[in-house]
């Protein structure tokens, strides 16, 4: 029984690690999007394009919101990766995380 829990704990740890890596990549992508939207907004402001500026500011807000969402998701997965290490039930909690392999990941 202990061997099965150990195998499931390793699988659970790898599942959470995979999800946190995906969330980190998503966070990096959202950061680039926010940077590009901010640059576009400043370029349109320098040109004096008021209509384009309003659209660029709206895109910047949306990109910042998406970046914050990605940051919170990454923080959740990192917390789920670290928190079981601080409890006496580390193997059991990671074994429970093995079910993440059955849940499809969030589309990008």
């Amino acid at each position: 029984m202990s061997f099965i829990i150990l195998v499931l704990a390793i699988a659970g740890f790898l599942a959470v690690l995979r999800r946190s890596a995906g969330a980190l990549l998503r966070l990096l992508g959202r950061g680039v999007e926010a940077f590009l939207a901010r640059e576009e907004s400043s370029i349109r402001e320098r040109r004096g394009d008021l209509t384009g500026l309003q659209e660029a500011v709206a895109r910047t807000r949306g990109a910042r919101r998406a970046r914050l969402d990605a940051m919170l998701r990454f923080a959740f997965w990192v917390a789920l990766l670290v928190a079981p290490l601080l409890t006496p039930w580390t193997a059991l909690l990671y074994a429970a995380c093995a079910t993440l392999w059955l849940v499809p990941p969030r589309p990008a």
Side-chain angles (χ1 to χ4, degrees), residues 14-91:
L14 291 176
V16 174
L17 188 64
R18 177 177 166 241
R19 296 283 174 113
S20 64
L24 176 63
L25 290 175
R26 224 174 279 118
L27 174 61
L28 292 174
R30 299 298 187 240
V32 169
E33 285 177 15
F35 172 75
L36 292 176
R38 188 174 56 241
E39 287 299 311
E40 179 187 4
S41 176
S42 68
I43 288 171
R44 291 187 186 255
E45 183 180 8
R46 275 185 266 142
R47 284 188 191 165
D49 182 8
L50 296 179
T51 305
L53 178 62
Q54 289 176 347
E55 294 171 0
V57 167
R59 268 195 297 272
T60 303
R61 277 193 214 116
R64 285 181 182 166
R65 201 172 305 119
R67 184 181 59 190
L68 178 63
D69 179 54
M71 202 177 305
L72 291 174
R73 288 180 189 275
F74 176 66
F76 169 77
W77 289 115
V78 168
L80 189 60
L81 190 65
V82 174
L85 296 173
L86 305 174
T87 67
W89 316 287
T90 303

